Amino acid sequence: MPRFSIVVPVFKVQGYLHECLDSVLGQSYPDLEVIAVDDRSPDGCGAILDEYAARDERVRVLHLPENVGLGRARNAGLEQARGDYVLFLDSDDFYTPGLLAAVADRLRSAEDPDILVFDHVRTHWWGRGGPSDASALLARAGQDVFSLREKPEYVHLFLVAWNKAYRRDFFQEHGLRYAPGLYEDAPVTYRSMVLADRIACLNRIGVEYRQRRQGAITKTPGRRHFDIFQQYEGLFAFLEEREDLAWARPLLFERAMDHMLFVIAREDRVTPSDRADFHREIRAFHRRHCPEGFTPPDDARGTEMRLLASAPYPAFAALRGVRGLRRIAGAGKRRMTAKVSKAAQSAWYSAQLRLPLDPHLVVYSASHHSGVSGDPAAIHAKAREIAPQLRGVWVVREDAVDALPPGVDHVTPGSRRYHAVMARATYWVNNVNWPGTVVKRPGQIQVHTHEGTPLKYMGADLLAKPGARYGYSVPKLLHRADRWDLSLVANRHSELVWERAYPCHFESVRTGSPRNDVLVNAPAERGSSVRERLGIPADHTVVLYAPTRREYRRGGHVDRIDLARFAADLGAGHTLVVRLHPTLAAGPARGLGLADLHARGVLVDATDEPHVEDVMLASDVLVTDYSSLMFDYANLDRPIVIHADDWGAYAASRGAYFDITAEAPGHVSRSYRELAWLFASGTWRDEEAAGLRAAFRERFCEFDDGHAAERVVRQLLLGEAPGGEGAVVSIPRAADGSARLPQYS
């Protein structure tokens, strides 16, 4: 008897069926059966299913004699199921890697609950969407096992069949079956949720829910959407028979009303000519089933529910129209207020620009005002230590203020003090460009620190890569870069690249990377303390995996390796630490498995660690693909493995300044098999790896000697005379004490 039975109803999806079945049969957890139900599909689906069944004994195909629709096709597959748990998967959707292994582990830890709910992500025809509305609820559930009566808020979980694993005995015991027609998921989902004594959640994206451009029945307008009423009538007929479920009636009535009002508002479901009839059906359902003392929610949808009890369709339609007009009026009022506010702000800023520069004021920002990090943070810290007369102010977004370290002076973009600081600071220190609305005055000096040594194309070089520069203007980027005065570099490679990629008016300064000072100078105990904070055993070998984003994939995230498999293959005595690229941290990438694996202790997700330097110090080896992190990590003189299984696609789509597979800082793997072998054999740290690393360090860590931040503060901000090998440049002072750029020969 298999652990899982996956029921896949199939109808007119031959273009998607291979991807669906491959996603199931390719799961790392093999104890499963697939029951594929050919719902008399008129295309090639039946033949495709037979081919899979011939190749894999876990696939069983049920060819129905006539088309019965999605719900009854699921029922037919369910009758054939033998697994402990049954899962339903629509044949145009697909599973994410590692899902079933995660489900099996969670079922084990929850001691076989009645229902396990997991997350999904919408994959639109133009690319993957963001996190689902259920993500926060699933995360909040943690490892709890509960009933819906104990936690009624979980009735808001997504109303579908395919985001759950049902214990088959539970499903059969209660006679749960799908009714014909649209919206067949609703009665089964709600009925099972109120009957279940033990519900568990898995905070992991398990299904890529495909939003097809055309062909989806639920997005085809017509009278079939009236099926929603018979579906909910069946649910409430069941509730009427069960006095022990009286507690659930108000809860499910509110959900039914919400669902019906959602459908009537969708022009791709209910046509304008059918809307009055649909509204009458909602009112009739409301009269028949509204529980005594029911209180609608205190929101716009609740207002619609209250109106249903007394008002005919014209009044309901008018309400929706008034709400629309209010939204429009509100937007107009906000625009007018914004214009007045903008004019006042502009006058204030103009006045500040007429005041003298403050020679001791330095304004810092990093990574689009996201907080205190990178080279600017290292320079700021050193300035506080050796030049307390310099007052540093950080520009930080409103949503990042709470995460600031104690005692950091800051302003938020657009505020009055922000404009005052930007107008009067003698120095701007940043690793990205300032907005075009900021005026750079004569005497102000912008120190541009960049965000690492470049491997991929940047700036003007992206003109030849339209896919990689999609969404921003290279001319505008270069116009802002024209304001740079000093460009910090860690090696001659960077110096040449920046001067080519940004053909502007700055001077390159060979300071080294200030953020790397800690990697050169940090005591051994710092890495140990980070390990302890992350819960990593002191005697473990720590493997840091830091993948970068891909321009050839919308959203930037591509799963290159199965993280659970890699963590297992590393074996006892190893800890896998994963740090995603910052641009992927807030998207669905972590829900696709990383968050769940972290919660179960399979690996450590260090994406949210505020200082990547700490993560590097806590590790023994870096595995990356094309992340610039490798150039910083080389300062530690620890092994680096390059996993370059898609190098051709990456280089073609983004562009690269050199072939990292030919000039690597260590061994290169071009498949997961090679990567696993490098670690299993110990090759990752052999003499050849050490030699490759030494050559890489000589080339790319040239100016990183542990004193970069001090060099910047003393010679660029304080204007002290340079001396010794660490000298770079001095900045003469004007008679009023403000700084002026030196003239270079």
Side-chain angles (χ1 to χ4, degrees), residues 614-647:
D614 284 342
V615 182
M616 289 191 278
L617 287 167
S619 67
D620 296 296
V621 53
L622 170 68
V623 177
T624 187
D625 33 43
Y626 324 117
S627 171
S628 64
L629 197 70
M630 72 178 83
F631 299 100
D632 299 337
Y633 196 86
N635 282 284
L636 293 172
D637 197 18
R638 299 175 189 175
I640 301 173
V641 174
I642 301 298
H643 185 56
D645 65 332
D646 65 340
W647 171 246

mmCIF file of all heavy atoms in Angstrom, residues 614-647:
data_model
loop_
_atom_site.group_PDB
_atom_site.id
_atom_site.type_symbol
_atom_site.label_atom_id
_atom_site.label_comp_id
_atom_site.label_asym_id
_atom_site.label_seq_id
_atom_site.Cartn_x
_atom_site.Cartn_y
_atom_site.Cartn_z
ATOM 1 N N ASP A 614 28.670 37.964 8.509
ATOM 2 C CA ASP A 614 28.568 37.008 9.609
ATOM 3 C C ASP A 614 28.289 35.603 9.098
ATOM 4 O O ASP A 614 28.826 34.620 9.617
ATOM 5 C CB ASP A 614 27.452 37.429 10.572
ATOM 6 C CG ASP A 614 27.856 38.584 11.475
ATOM 7 O OD1 ASP A 614 29.072 38.829 11.607
ATOM 8 O OD2 ASP A 614 26.966 39.241 12.036
ATOM 9 N N VAL A 615 27.434 35.505 8.090
ATOM 10 C CA VAL A 615 27.113 34.196 7.525
ATOM 11 C C VAL A 615 28.353 33.579 6.885
ATOM 12 O O VAL A 615 28.610 32.375 7.023
ATOM 13 C CB VAL A 615 25.975 34.316 6.499
ATOM 14 C CG1 VAL A 615 25.602 32.947 5.942
ATOM 15 C CG2 VAL A 615 24.754 34.977 7.121
ATOM 16 N N MET A 616 29.129 34.390 6.197
ATOM 17 C CA MET A 616 30.353 33.883 5.584
ATOM 18 C C MET A 616 31.342 33.415 6.645
ATOM 19 O O MET A 616 31.969 32.357 6.512
ATOM 20 C CB MET A 616 30.981 34.965 4.691
ATOM 21 C CG MET A 616 30.188 35.243 3.424
ATOM 22 S SD MET A 616 31.082 36.288 2.237
ATOM 23 C CE MET A 616 30.754 37.909 2.891
ATOM 24 N N LEU A 617 31.496 34.192 7.707
ATOM 25 C CA LEU A 617 32.446 33.834 8.763
ATOM 26 C C LEU A 617 32.045 32.541 9.463
ATOM 27 O O LEU A 617 32.909 31.811 9.971
ATOM 28 C CB LEU A 617 32.540 34.971 9.784
ATOM 29 C CG LEU A 617 33.298 36.220 9.316
ATOM 30 C CD1 LEU A 617 33.051 37.378 10.262
ATOM 31 C CD2 LEU A 617 34.791 35.924 9.212
ATOM 32 N N ALA A 618 30.756 32.236 9.490
ATOM 33 C CA ALA A 618 30.286 31.026 10.166
ATOM 34 C C ALA A 618 30.435 29.780 9.307
ATOM 35 O O ALA A 618 30.193 28.671 9.792
ATOM 36 C CB ALA A 618 28.824 31.196 10.565
ATOM 37 N N SER A 619 30.829 29.928 8.052
ATOM 38 C CA SER A 619 30.860 28.793 7.129
ATOM 39 C C SER A 619 32.282 28.289 6.902
ATOM 40 O O SER A 619 33.266 28.975 7.175
ATOM 41 C CB SER A 619 30.238 29.197 5.791
ATOM 42 O OG SER A 619 31.054 30.155 5.143
ATOM 43 N N ASP A 620 32.343 27.069 6.353
ATOM 44 C CA ASP A 620 33.638 26.463 6.016
ATOM 45 C C ASP A 620 33.878 26.406 4.518
ATOM 46 O O ASP A 620 35.021 26.272 4.075
ATOM 47 C CB ASP A 620 33.700 25.034 6.569
ATOM 48 C CG ASP A 620 33.645 25.007 8.079
ATOM 49 O OD1 ASP A 620 34.571 25.536 8.712
ATOM 50 O OD2 ASP A 620 32.667 24.462 8.635
ATOM 51 N N VAL A 621 32.819 26.473 3.743
ATOM 52 C CA VAL A 621 32.936 26.383 2.291
ATOM 53 C C VAL A 621 31.735 27.090 1.673
ATOM 54 O O VAL A 621 30.628 27.068 2.228
ATOM 55 C CB VAL A 621 33.014 24.909 1.826
ATOM 56 C CG1 VAL A 621 31.849 24.103 2.376
ATOM 57 C CG2 VAL A 621 33.063 24.799 0.305
ATOM 58 N N LEU A 622 31.950 27.724 0.540
ATOM 59 C CA LEU A 622 30.880 28.403 -0.197
ATOM 60 C C LEU A 622 30.558 27.623 -1.463
ATOM 61 O O LEU A 622 31.455 27.276 -2.231
ATOM 62 C CB LEU A 622 31.309 29.827 -0.577
ATOM 63 C CG LEU A 622 30.386 30.577 -1.545
ATOM 64 C CD1 LEU A 622 29.044 30.898 -0.881
ATOM 65 C CD2 LEU A 622 31.045 31.860 -2.053
ATOM 66 N N VAL A 623 29.275 27.356 -1.660
ATOM 67 C CA VAL A 623 28.779 26.838 -2.933
ATOM 68 C C VAL A 623 27.912 27.926 -3.540
ATOM 69 O O VAL A 623 26.940 28.378 -2.925
ATOM 70 C CB VAL A 623 27.943 25.554 -2.746
ATOM 71 C CG1 VAL A 623 27.394 25.084 -4.094
ATOM 72 C CG2 VAL A 623 28.782 24.461 -2.109
ATOM 73 N N THR A 624 28.280 28.377 -4.711
ATOM 74 C CA THR A 624 27.499 29.418 -5.380
ATOM 75 C C THR A 624 27.503 29.154 -6.866
ATOM 76 O O THR A 624 28.181 28.245 -7.359
ATOM 77 C CB THR A 624 28.042 30.822 -5.063
ATOM 78 O OG1 THR A 624 27.144 31.809 -5.598
ATOM 79 C CG2 THR A 624 29.429 31.028 -5.653
ATOM 80 N N ASP A 625 26.727 29.948 -7.581
ATOM 81 C CA ASP A 625 26.752 29.839 -9.027
ATOM 82 C C ASP A 625 27.519 31.032 -9.589
ATOM 83 O O ASP A 625 28.705 30.940 -9.854
ATOM 84 C CB ASP A 625 25.340 29.730 -9.599
ATOM 85 C CG ASP A 625 24.312 30.511 -8.780
ATOM 86 O OD1 ASP A 625 24.623 31.653 -8.390
ATOM 87 O OD2 ASP A 625 23.217 29.989 -8.549
ATOM 88 N N TYR A 626 26.827 32.183 -9.663
ATOM 89 C CA TYR A 626 27.470 33.342 -10.273
ATOM 90 C C TYR A 626 27.323 34.575 -9.378
ATOM 91 O O TYR A 626 27.351 35.698 -9.854
ATOM 92 C CB TYR A 626 26.870 33.595 -11.662
ATOM 93 C CG TYR A 626 26.537 32.305 -12.370
ATOM 94 C CD1 TYR A 626 25.226 31.972 -12.707
ATOM 95 C CD2 TYR A 626 27.544 31.368 -12.642
ATOM 96 C CE1 TYR A 626 24.922 30.771 -13.311
ATOM 97 C CE2 TYR A 626 27.247 30.155 -13.249
ATOM 98 C CZ TYR A 626 25.932 29.863 -13.575
ATOM 99 O OH TYR A 626 25.652 28.660 -14.160
ATOM 100 N N SER A 627 27.136 34.361 -8.088
ATOM 101 C CA SER A 627 26.965 35.464 -7.155
ATOM 102 C C SER A 627 28.290 36.177 -6.918
ATOM 103 O O SER A 627 29.343 35.538 -6.768
ATOM 104 C CB SER A 627 26.411 34.940 -5.827
ATOM 105 O OG SER A 627 26.435 35.951 -4.852
ATOM 106 N N SER A 628 28.240 37.506 -6.828
ATOM 107 C CA SER A 628 29.448 38.281 -6.523
ATOM 108 C C SER A 628 29.959 38.011 -5.119
ATOM 109 O O SER A 628 31.058 38.431 -4.763
ATOM 110 C CB SER A 628 29.174 39.778 -6.700
ATOM 111 O OG SER A 628 28.192 40.223 -5.778
ATOM 112 N N LEU A 629 29.173 37.292 -4.324
ATOM 113 C CA LEU A 629 29.614 36.920 -2.986
ATOM 114 C C LEU A 629 30.937 36.157 -3.024
ATOM 115 O O LEU A 629 31.725 36.208 -2.082
ATOM 116 C CB LEU A 629 28.529 36.066 -2.316
ATOM 117 C CG LEU A 629 28.603 35.905 -0.797
ATOM 118 C CD1 LEU A 629 28.273 37.226 -0.124
ATOM 119 C CD2 LEU A 629 27.621 34.830 -0.336
ATOM 120 N N MET A 630 31.191 35.447 -4.119
ATOM 121 C CA MET A 630 32.420 34.648 -4.211
ATOM 122 C C MET A 630 33.667 35.523 -4.117
ATOM 123 O O MET A 630 34.692 35.099 -3.558
ATOM 124 C CB MET A 630 32.435 33.852 -5.513
ATOM 125 C CG MET A 630 32.671 34.663 -6.767
ATOM 126 S SD MET A 630 32.747 33.671 -8.266
ATOM 127 C CE MET A 630 31.014 33.484 -8.642
ATOM 128 N N PHE A 631 33.616 36.744 -4.643
ATOM 129 C CA PHE A 631 34.789 37.625 -4.622
ATOM 130 C C PHE A 631 35.093 38.082 -3.198
ATOM 131 O O PHE A 631 36.253 38.205 -2.817
ATOM 132 C CB PHE A 631 34.550 38.821 -5.538
ATOM 133 C CG PHE A 631 34.327 38.455 -6.977
ATOM 134 C CD1 PHE A 631 33.041 38.412 -7.507
ATOM 135 C CD2 PHE A 631 35.392 38.155 -7.805
ATOM 136 C CE1 PHE A 631 32.825 38.070 -8.829
ATOM 137 C CE2 PHE A 631 35.185 37.819 -9.131
ATOM 138 C CZ PHE A 631 33.906 37.770 -9.650
ATOM 139 N N ASP A 632 34.053 38.342 -2.423
ATOM 140 C CA ASP A 632 34.245 38.705 -1.024
ATOM 141 C C ASP A 632 34.728 37.495 -0.220
ATOM 142 O O ASP A 632 35.639 37.594 0.596
ATOM 143 C CB ASP A 632 32.938 39.234 -0.425
ATOM 144 C CG ASP A 632 32.431 40.477 -1.128
ATOM 145 O OD1 ASP A 632 33.241 41.176 -1.759
ATOM 146 O OD2 ASP A 632 31.220 40.740 -1.049
ATOM 147 N N TYR A 633 34.075 36.352 -0.469
ATOM 148 C CA TYR A 633 34.388 35.143 0.290
ATOM 149 C C TYR A 633 35.843 34.713 0.099
ATOM 150 O O TYR A 633 36.449 34.129 1.012
ATOM 151 C CB TYR A 633 33.454 34.018 -0.142
ATOM 152 C CG TYR A 633 33.408 32.842 0.801
ATOM 153 C CD1 TYR A 633 32.555 32.839 1.893
ATOM 154 C CD2 TYR A 633 34.208 31.719 0.591
ATOM 155 C CE1 TYR A 633 32.494 31.761 2.759
ATOM 156 C CE2 TYR A 633 34.163 30.633 1.453
ATOM 157 C CZ TYR A 633 33.303 30.659 2.533
ATOM 158 O OH TYR A 633 33.253 29.588 3.395
ATOM 159 N N ALA A 634 36.403 35.013 -1.062
ATOM 160 C CA ALA A 634 37.784 34.613 -1.333
ATOM 161 C C ALA A 634 38.757 35.208 -0.322
ATOM 162 O O ALA A 634 39.848 34.657 -0.097
ATOM 163 C CB ALA A 634 38.170 35.023 -2.754
ATOM 164 N N ASN A 635 38.389 36.334 0.301
ATOM 165 C CA ASN A 635 39.253 36.931 1.325
ATOM 166 C C ASN A 635 39.465 36.001 2.515
ATOM 167 O O ASN A 635 40.462 36.117 3.227
ATOM 168 C CB ASN A 635 38.652 38.257 1.811
ATOM 169 C CG ASN A 635 38.892 39.389 0.838
ATOM 170 O OD1 ASN A 635 39.990 39.926 0.754
ATOM 171 N ND2 ASN A 635 37.857 39.744 0.092
ATOM 172 N N LEU A 636 38.523 35.091 2.757
ATOM 173 C CA LEU A 636 38.641 34.161 3.875
ATOM 174 C C LEU A 636 39.613 33.025 3.583
ATOM 175 O O LEU A 636 39.990 32.283 4.491
ATOM 176 C CB LEU A 636 37.259 33.574 4.212
ATOM 177 C CG LEU A 636 36.222 34.541 4.783
ATOM 178 C CD1 LEU A 636 34.861 33.861 4.886
ATOM 179 C CD2 LEU A 636 36.656 35.057 6.137
ATOM 180 N N ASP A 637 39.983 32.857 2.321
ATOM 181 C CA ASP A 637 40.855 31.761 1.905
ATOM 182 C C ASP A 637 40.268 30.413 2.323
ATOM 183 O O ASP A 637 40.969 29.540 2.837
ATOM 184 C CB ASP A 637 42.271 31.934 2.470
ATOM 185 C CG ASP A 637 43.289 31.056 1.734
ATOM 186 O OD1 ASP A 637 42.977 30.598 0.615
ATOM 187 O OD2 ASP A 637 44.386 30.822 2.288
ATOM 188 N N ARG A 638 38.962 30.269 2.094
ATOM 189 C CA ARG A 638 38.281 29.004 2.346
ATOM 190 C C ARG A 638 37.737 28.466 1.028
ATOM 191 O O ARG A 638 37.503 29.237 0.090
ATOM 192 C CB ARG A 638 37.141 29.200 3.355
ATOM 193 C CG ARG A 638 37.620 29.702 4.715
ATOM 194 C CD ARG A 638 36.462 30.002 5.654
ATOM 195 N NE ARG A 638 36.923 30.671 6.869
ATOM 196 C CZ ARG A 638 36.133 31.130 7.826
ATOM 197 N NH1 ARG A 638 34.811 30.992 7.717
ATOM 198 N NH2 ARG A 638 36.639 31.730 8.898
ATOM 199 N N PRO A 639 37.518 27.161 0.927
ATOM 200 C CA PRO A 639 37.111 26.574 -0.358
ATOM 201 C C PRO A 639 35.835 27.188 -0.936
ATOM 202 O O PRO A 639 34.912 27.545 -0.202
ATOM 203 C CB PRO A 639 36.920 25.096 -0.019
ATOM 204 C CG PRO A 639 37.813 24.863 1.159
ATOM 205 C CD PRO A 639 37.749 26.135 1.959
ATOM 206 N N ILE A 640 35.810 27.261 -2.253
ATOM 207 C CA ILE A 640 34.651 27.747 -3.003
ATOM 208 C C ILE A 640 34.365 26.754 -4.123
ATOM 209 O O ILE A 640 35.279 26.339 -4.841
ATOM 210 C CB ILE A 640 34.906 29.143 -3.611
ATOM 211 C CG1 ILE A 640 35.235 30.160 -2.506
ATOM 212 C CG2 ILE A 640 33.706 29.612 -4.431
ATOM 213 C CD1 ILE A 640 35.662 31.520 -3.037
ATOM 214 N N VAL A 641 33.108 26.358 -4.249
ATOM 215 C CA VAL A 641 32.676 25.475 -5.335
ATOM 216 C C VAL A 641 31.686 26.244 -6.198
ATOM 217 O O VAL A 641 30.740 26.852 -5.682
ATOM 218 C CB VAL A 641 32.022 24.191 -4.792
ATOM 219 C CG1 VAL A 641 31.439 23.356 -5.929
ATOM 220 C CG2 VAL A 641 33.030 23.367 -3.997
ATOM 221 N N ILE A 642 31.907 26.230 -7.507
ATOM 222 C CA ILE A 642 31.008 26.899 -8.452
ATOM 223 C C ILE A 642 30.096 25.849 -9.078
ATOM 224 O O ILE A 642 30.565 24.914 -9.727
ATOM 225 C CB ILE A 642 31.807 27.626 -9.554
ATOM 226 C CG1 ILE A 642 32.744 28.665 -8.951
ATOM 227 C CG2 ILE A 642 30.849 28.264 -10.560
ATOM 228 C CD1 ILE A 642 32.052 29.771 -8.197
ATOM 229 N N HIS A 643 28.784 26.008 -8.842
ATOM 230 C CA HIS A 643 27.805 25.100 -9.453
ATOM 231 C C HIS A 643 27.232 25.806 -10.679
ATOM 232 O O HIS A 643 26.389 26.703 -10.567
ATOM 233 C CB HIS A 643 26.701 24.767 -8.457
ATOM 234 C CG HIS A 643 25.728 23.749 -8.972
ATOM 235 N ND1 HIS A 643 26.119 22.507 -9.419
ATOM 236 C CD2 HIS A 643 24.377 23.789 -9.120
ATOM 237 C CE1 HIS A 643 25.065 21.827 -9.817
ATOM 238 N NE2 HIS A 643 23.990 22.585 -9.656
ATOM 239 N N ALA A 644 27.709 25.404 -11.850
ATOM 240 C CA ALA A 644 27.431 26.150 -13.082
ATOM 241 C C ALA A 644 26.676 25.294 -14.088
ATOM 242 O O ALA A 644 27.062 25.201 -15.250
ATOM 243 C CB ALA A 644 28.748 26.643 -13.684
ATOM 244 N N ASP A 645 25.576 24.700 -13.652
ATOM 245 C CA ASP A 645 24.852 23.806 -14.557
ATOM 246 C C ASP A 645 24.076 24.557 -15.634
ATOM 247 O O ASP A 645 23.621 23.951 -16.603
ATOM 248 C CB ASP A 645 23.912 22.895 -13.762
ATOM 249 C CG ASP A 645 22.806 23.642 -13.051
ATOM 250 O OD1 ASP A 645 23.010 24.821 -12.718
ATOM 251 O OD2 ASP A 645 21.732 23.051 -12.821
ATOM 252 N N ASP A 646 23.898 25.871 -15.494
ATOM 253 C CA ASP A 646 23.197 26.637 -16.530
ATOM 254 C C ASP A 646 24.039 27.834 -16.984
ATOM 255 O O ASP A 646 23.497 28.869 -17.366
ATOM 256 C CB ASP A 646 21.833 27.116 -16.024
ATOM 257 C CG ASP A 646 21.933 28.108 -14.865
ATOM 258 O OD1 ASP A 646 22.990 28.145 -14.211
ATOM 259 O OD2 ASP A 646 20.957 28.843 -14.624
ATOM 260 N N TRP A 647 25.361 27.676 -16.962
ATOM 261 C CA TRP A 647 26.243 28.795 -17.299
ATOM 262 C C TRP A 647 25.952 29.354 -18.687
ATOM 263 O O TRP A 647 25.938 30.570 -18.889
ATOM 264 C CB TRP A 647 27.701 28.362 -17.192
ATOM 265 C CG TRP A 647 28.664 29.384 -17.730
ATOM 266 C CD1 TRP A 647 29.474 29.269 -18.829
ATOM 267 C CD2 TRP A 647 28.903 30.699 -17.206
ATOM 268 N NE1 TRP A 647 30.199 30.411 -19.017
ATOM 269 C CE2 TRP A 647 29.870 31.310 -18.036
ATOM 270 C CE3 TRP A 647 28.391 31.414 -16.127
ATOM 271 C CZ2 TRP A 647 30.332 32.610 -17.808
ATOM 272 C CZ3 TRP A 647 28.852 32.705 -15.908
ATOM 273 C CH2 TRP A 647 29.817 33.282 -16.738
#
